[in-house]
Amino acid sequence: MANNLLEILKYAKIRNFEANYASDIHDDFYFGFPVKGILDAEQKLLSSKEKTIAYFSMEYGLATNVYNIYSASKPVKPENKLSENDIISNNRIPDYLFTLKFDNLLDLPIYSGGLGVLAGDTIKTAADLRMPLVAIGILWNKGYFKQRFWFKFGQLPEEMKWDPQTFPGLVPLENKIKLELKNRNIYLRLWKYYVFNQAKDFAVPLVLLDSNVEENDIEARRLTDRLYKSDDVDGRLLQRIILGMGGMKALEELGYPISLYHLNEGHAAFAFVQLARKENKKDIENLKFKFAYTCHTPVPAGHDRFSLSDCERVLTSPDFDLVKACGTADSEPGIVNLTILAMNTSYSINAVSKIHGDVMRFQFPTYKNKIKSVTNGVHFPTWVSEPIKKFLKTYDKVLGDFENDPTLLKNVLKCKEDPDFRTGLWAAHQENKKKFAQLLHQWKIREDVLTLCWARRIAAYKRPSLIFQDIERLEGMAKRIGPLQIFYAGKAHPNDNLAFTYINEIMNTVDKLNEANGNLKIVMLENYDIHMAKFLVSGVDVWLNNPLPPNEASGTSGMKAMANAVLQLSTVDGWVAEATHEDIGQFFGFRHDGKTFTNDLVLRLDEDSKALYEALENMMGLYYGLNQQGALKIQSPWLDKMINCLSSASYFNTFRMINEYRSDIWDF
Ligand SMILES: *Cc1c(COP(=O)(O)O)cnc(C)c1O
C-alpha cells in the first residue's frame, strides 16, 4: 500500500476496504479525484493550530450528479440512479405515452429541499476557500421520499430505496460510537463523504451518522431511515439527539479538535448538552462561546417542540436537567423548544435574510439584541449552466476570475452597452432553452414562447396555485399578448395534508385545460430534485416566486435562476426584499415590513393574483417585443434585466455569504 493511502486510513479505517473500495481508492485517486486534496484538508483540520469549524445540518443536498461527479470502477447500481418521472400536462397524449428518463447517478438522497441545498452549497464553498471545516449529518437509509403522481389525482409518497454501500464516494468506517441515554444505549456507525472544491485540491469531510447497526434493536435501527419522518415522538426526539449528541461524539471519535460548532436549526441543539456533559458542566457560560446558531424559518412548524415529560423519558437525568434549564421559556410552560435551547446556548444567533432578521427579533424579543442576519446564497459553480459559463468566460478579461470569486460578476455591468455581449448572452440562454425543449420534445415545448417555472416545496405560504386563480384571464392574456408555457414541480411533505390539496388543485386546473387552445401550456414534473432544479433554473425565461410575505426566510431557487440570467417574477420576501432596487424582473403583491408575525395564514390569493397578472402582462409585452421582424431587438430592456440578474448573482452567492459568516459570526 502506498503512503498516501495509509495516511487516509490512519484517520478513519474504511470498513470492508479490500472487498469493496480498494479498486476506487488507491495511491493517488479517490473515486477519480486527487487524494492529495483529502490529505491536505484532513491535516489542516487535525492540526490544532487552525481555528476549526464543525457544521451541523439535518440534511445536505450536494448535487452529486451535476457537480464534481465521482467515478467508480463498478457500474452504478440501478437503485442509485435517477428514476423515471411521470408528467402531467394539458397535452395529455404524451403524458400517457412517455416519461422523463435519465441515466444519471442519484443526488445523494440525504436532503429534502432548500435547507439541504443551502448546507450543501455552503460546505462546497468552504472547500473552495480551503477552510478547515467538517460537516456532520445523518445517513438517511431510505432518503426522503419519492413522489409519484397518481394519474391526475394527486401525490402518492413512495418509500425510497438506495444502496449506500455502492454509492460512489461514500464509505462506511469501522468507527462506531455509543450514545448513553436513560435505560438504553444507541449505537451509531460513521460514514464519510468528501466534498471537493472546484480546483479538486481540497475537500471538506462530511461525516454521516447511521443507527442501522446490529447492536441496536429493530426500532433503533430504523431511526435513521427517513428524513423528517418518524413513527412517534420518541423517534423524532432521538433523531435530534443522534444529530446533536451523536455528532459531537463522532467528532471526538475521529480526533477533530473543534474551535466552533455551527448549528443549523434547532435540530442540532443537543450538541451543547453533549459538550456540557463531557466538560462536566464546569463552566456552562464559557461553553456558549463555542456555539453559533442559524435559524432558517419563521414558520412555527419548523421549530421543534417536545414536552418535558418526553425529554425526561429519553434523556439521562443530568442531561434532562440541563435541557430543562436552557430549553424552556416562561411563555410555553412544560415545553422544551429546541430553538430556545439553541439560542440560550450560543454566543451568536442569526437569521438568513434582513427581513427574516426583523421577523425573528419580533418573534424572540428576549434575544433581539443578539440576532444578526446573513443573507443566504447559492454555490455559483454548481448552479451556473455550461452555455452561460462558457459565454462569460469569453469575457474573462473584463469579468476576471468569476468562477473562483463570483462577486466579480458585478463586472457584467461594464458590458451592458456591448452589442456582442447582449447577442451572445441571448444566444447562450437560447441554447439552454433549446436543450430543455429537446429534453421534453414529446410535449412540443417551444423555444420562442415565454416560459415560466414555479418549482419548490409545496406549502400553503408559498401559494403554489396563485397563478391559476383566474385561469380565464391567464388564457386571455396568452391569446392576446403571446403564448405561455408554465412548468411546475414540487413535493409536499407527506404529513402536510393542506399541501396535498394544492397539488390536487393544480392538477385539476391542468385537467380542465385539457382541450384548450395551443396558447397556454402547463407541464407538471414529478419528483422535484436537485438534478431537475438545475435544468429548470436555466431552461426557462422567468422564475416565478410568490410566497406570502414575511413567511419566506430567504429562498434560494431564484438565485440559481439569476446565476443563469433568468428573470425574476416575485413577491417581495426573503432575499428578494434586498433586491428590489435591482431591475431584475418584476415584483408584485402584498408587502410586509417584517416587524410583526402571525400564525394565521391569510393568503391574499385574490388581490395578489391580480397583481401577479398585471406584472406578468408587462413581462409578456416586453418578451414578445424582443422579436423585431424575426431579429433580436438588441436594445430591449429585457436584455438589460438579464444582465442585471447576472450582476445581482455577484451578491446572492455562498462565496459572499461565507465571507460574511467569517467576519460577523465565526469571528476569524
Ligand atoms: C433550491 C432548491 C430548493 C429551494 O427552493 P426555494 O425556492 O428557495 O424554496 C428546494 N428543492 C430543490 C431540489 C432545490 O434545488
Side-chain angles (χ1 to χ4, degrees), residues 484-550:
L484 273 176
Q485 296 172 149
I486 306 178
F487 284 85
Y488 257 84
K491 295 177 178 178
H493 185 281
N495 293 351
D496 189 345
N497 293 331
L498 181 57
F500 284 179
T501 64
Y502 291 100
I503 299 189
N504 300 357
E505 182 186 354
I506 299 167
M507 284 183 167
N508 268 333
T509 308
V510 174
D511 197 43
K512 279 199 214 109
L513 279 173
N514 200 354
E515 307 294 329
N517 56 57
N519 290 323
L520 180 59
K521 182 168 285 184
I522 302 168
V523 181
M524 293 180 75
L525 306 175
E526 189 183 54
N527 204 38
Y528 184 48
D529 62 6
I530 290 176
H531 178 262
M532 191 183 285
K534 173 113 190 194
F535 65 71
L536 288 173
V537 296
S538 58
V540 303
D541 302 296
V542 173
W543 196 255
L544 175 61
N545 175 50
N546 44 231
L548 174 73

Side-chain angles (χ1 to χ4, degrees), residues 166-462:
T166 61
F167 194 93
L170 182 62
V171 294
L173 306 181
E174 294 283 6
N175 311 61
K176 272 187 199 163
I177 56 170
K178 184 170 88 176
L179 283 183
E180 289 156 29
L181 304 172
K182 192 173 195 168
N183 309 327
R184 75 191 285 200
N185 296 324
I186 289 180
Y187 295 86
L188 301 169
R189 168 171 323 287
L190 307 184
W191 295 69
K192 233 176 197 188
Y193 187 89
Y194 286 101
V195 177
F196 268 84
N197 65 347
Q198 253 193 106
K200 299 191 170 87
D201 63 2
F202 199 77
V204 159
L206 167 61
V207 176
L208 298 170
L209 306 147
D210 174 13
S211 72
N212 186 17
V213 292
E214 315 79 59
E215 292 90 333
N216 286 333
D217 60 37
I218 192 79
E219 173 222 350
R221 291 183 72 150
R222 288 192 183 139
L223 286 169
T224 56
D225 268 3
R226 281 173 301 175
L227 174 59
Y228 302 134
K229 185 101 174 71
S230 46
D231 299 327
D232 52 25
V233 181
D234 281 12
R236 210 160 60 84
L237 184 56
L238 286 167
Q239 287 172 342
R240 273 82 187 148
I241 290 170
I242 287 174
L243 181 65
M245 301 182 80
M248 294 298 270
K249 285 210 132 183
L251 291 165
E252 199 185 330
E253 163 72 19
L254 297 174
Y256 294 124
I258 301 298
S259 332
L260 203 147
Y261 304 91
H262 189 105
L263 311 182
N264 286 291
E265 297 293 46
H267 301 149
F270 287 109
F272 183 83
V273 178
Q274 181 63 36
L275 191 67
R277 175 200 285 205
K278 187 174 151 240
E279 306 270 319
N280 221 354
K281 288 201 232 158
K282 278 194 298 270
D283 191 352
I284 296 279
E285 279 309 310
N286 264 332
L287 290 185
K288 292 181 189 173
F289 287 98
K290 291 184 165 227
F291 286 85
Y293 160 68
T294 302
C295 177
H296 291 266
T297 181
V299 179
H303 297 255
D304 291 323
R305 292 177 167 78
F306 298 96
S307 72
L308 274 173
S309 56
D310 286 332
C311 293
E312 193 169 21
R313 196 169 55 244
V314 173
L315 294 164
T316 64
S317 78
D319 290 349
F320 172 71
D321 291 344
L322 186 63
V323 166
K324 188 177 171 188
C326 301
T328 53
D330 294 341
S331 53
E332 263 189 311
I335 296 292
V336 170
N337 183 327
L338 296 191
T339 305
I340 300 293
L341 180 61
M343 291 199 293
N344 282 341
T345 57
S346 301
Y347 74 94
S348 163
I349 304 170
N350 77 284
V352 291
S353 71
K354 291 202 169 64
I355 191 168
H356 178 220
D358 289 337
V359 171
M360 223 187 142
R361 283 183 280 271
F362 172 80
Q363 289 179 310
F364 305 104
T366 318
Y367 307 86
K368 88 171 176 259
N369 296 329
K370 261 172 93 177
I371 297 172
K372 300 179 191 171
S373 68
V374 178
T375 304
N376 280 344
V378 295
H379 184 243
F380 181 78
T382 298
W383 294 104
V384 68
S385 59
E386 218 35 60
I388 295 287
K389 187 167 80 182
K390 217 168 112 198
F391 163 69
L392 291 175
K393 271 186 162 177
T394 62
Y395 282 81
D396 62 355
K397 286 222 171 56
V398 190
L399 301 180
D401 184 8
F402 64 89
E403 283 181 279
N404 283 307
D405 178 359
T407 60
L408 294 170
L409 286 165
K410 198 91 211 162
N411 288 329
V412 292
L413 295 178
K414 293 182 192 157
C415 307
K416 219 169 181 176
E417 309 303 323
D418 176 353
D420 292 339
F421 188 87
R422 296 171 80 90
T423 348
L425 179 59
W426 180 253
H429 170 67
Q430 283 301 105
E431 196 182 327
N432 276 328
K433 223 174 148 182
K434 189 172 181 172
K435 273 204 242 172
F436 183 54
Q438 273 164 359
L439 192 64
L440 291 158
H441 67 274
Q442 280 108 349
W443 283 264
K444 301 197 166 45
I445 303 306
R446 282 171 53 186
E447 291 145 48
D448 57 347
V449 167
L450 180 62
T451 306
L452 269 63
C453 179
W454 189 103
R456 52 184 53 79
R457 179 164 61 90
I458 308 266
Y461 80 84
K462 292 177 183 263

Side-chain angles (χ1 to χ4, degrees), residues 88-100:
I88 301 270
S89 75
N90 59 337
N91 192 359
R92 295 308 289 274
I93 307 288
D95 297 356
Y96 289 116
L97 296 177
F98 308 106
T99 55
L100 195 55

Side-chain angles (χ1 to χ4, degrees), residues 455-492:
R456 52 184 53 79
R457 179 164 61 90
I458 308 266
Y461 80 84
K462 292 177 183 263
R463 302 188 293 186
S465 61
L466 190 69
I467 199 171
F468 298 135
Q469 293 306 303
D470 185 349
I471 198 80
E472 272 162 35
R473 177 159 177 191
L474 196 60
E475 280 185 293
M477 284 159 57
K479 203 178 258 173
R480 188 160 39 85
I481 312 172
L484 273 176
Q485 296 172 149
I486 306 178
F487 284 85
Y488 257 84
K491 295 177 178 178

Side-chain angles (χ1 to χ4, degrees), residues 54-64 107-124 133-140 193 195 204-208 227-228 243 262 264 530:
Y55 185 88
F56 285 68
S57 173
M58 201 65 146
E59 47 171 315
Y60 290 88
L62 293 166
T64 50
D107 304 314
L108 190 57
I110 54 170
Y111 73 97
S112 81
L115 178 66
V117 175
L118 178 84
D121 280 7
T122 301
I123 63 176
K124 277 180 265 184
L133 181 145
V134 50
I136 299 285
I138 291 181
L139 185 99
W140 298 105
Y193 187 89
V195 177
V204 159
L206 167 61
V207 176
L208 298 170
L227 174 59
Y228 302 134
L243 181 65
H262 189 105
N264 286 291
I530 290 176

